[in-house]
Amino acid sequence: MLALSQDVQQNRPVEAREHIRRFHELFFSLSPDKSAIESNVQRALYLSDESAIGYYRNLQEKGYFNRMIAGNISQTLTVDSIRGNFDSYPYRMKAYCRQHIIRSSSVTERSLVTTCRLRNVTRSDNNPQGFLIESFTIIENRDIGQYER
């Protein structure tokens, strides 16, 4: 039993990075379909606390999702790298990502950098890694290029 316990602890950094990757992919990869947006965001919110919910509500209030649907705009996200400090708990994480906002005639590439803390929680079907994202913060979200399609 001791060997199994040690294996689980050795895998926590890998699971933490996958948790962060999955959250970002669900939360930021969006299609111009209201039910798809709601489904992806709902799945992402199982992995996080009210800090991500607040960011989602802020986007809703500003009409971000309605403009995506009306403009037939898609958004994809690629996680370039994830850094974590596993020497202290809760774990501090930083994700470096690229977003592609796809319109009918152009694509805008954006740099997205986020930080958060990860806290251990019970594993479930909705949260298989057993982490909860806390203090989710976007520290950079800027255009890095645009090109015609």
Side-chain angles (χ1 to χ4, degrees):
M1 207 49 138
L2 180 61
L4 180 60
S5 175
Q6 288 173 341
D7 288 343
V8 168
Q9 288 306 316
Q10 287 176 343
N11 283 335
R12 286 311 265 170
V14 173
E15 291 178 326
R17 286 188 293 274
E18 179 57 27
H19 187 86
I20 296 294
R21 176 178 277 96
R22 187 70 182 138
F23 169 80
H24 282 75
E25 289 171 350
L26 288 168
F27 198 83
F28 292 103
S29 291
L30 305 170
S31 61
D33 178 313
K34 183 178 180 180
S35 62
I37 291 170
E38 289 173 354
S39 174
N40 273 3
V41 170
Q42 183 62 44
R43 290 170 52 207
L45 294 178
Y46 282 120
L47 308 177
S48 61
D49 72 355
E50 67 276 352
S51 60
I53 293 169
Y55 184 69
Y56 172 66
R57 287 184 181 145
N58 189 25
L59 289 173
Q60 274 184 315
E61 289 172 7
K62 290 180 179 180
Y64 183 79
F65 302 110
N66 289 335
R67 286 192 310 277
M68 283 188 71
I69 294 165
N72 208 21
I73 300 169
S74 298
Q75 183 174 290
T76 62
L77 178 121
T78 304
V79 177
D80 290 331
S81 66
I82 300 168
R83 305 279 187 251
N85 178 358
F86 299 98
D87 294 331
S88 63
Y89 180 83
Y91 310 122
R92 296 197 177 278
M93 307 296 289
K94 192 172 197 177
Y96 300 86
C97 311
R98 280 178 291 126
Q99 286 180 292
H100 292 90
I101 301 169
I102 305 160
R103 295 173 180 84
S104 60
S105 62
S106 67
V107 176
T108 302
E109 187 173 0
R110 298 184 63 82
S111 170
L112 177 71
V113 181
T114 66
T115 62
C116 68
R117 290 190 319 250
L118 284 183
R119 179 170 53 92
N120 292 317
V121 295
T122 304
R123 295 174 190 254
S124 69
D125 288 341
N126 292 322
N127 188 342
Q129 284 85 25
F131 285 111
L132 186 71
I133 292 172
E134 299 179 323
S135 302
F136 176 73
T137 306
I138 295 175
I139 59 172
E140 178 180 288
N141 189 3
R142 64 177 176 85
D143 287 354
I144 55 176
Q146 185 170 348
Y147 55 90
E148 298 300 315
R149 290 185 62 198

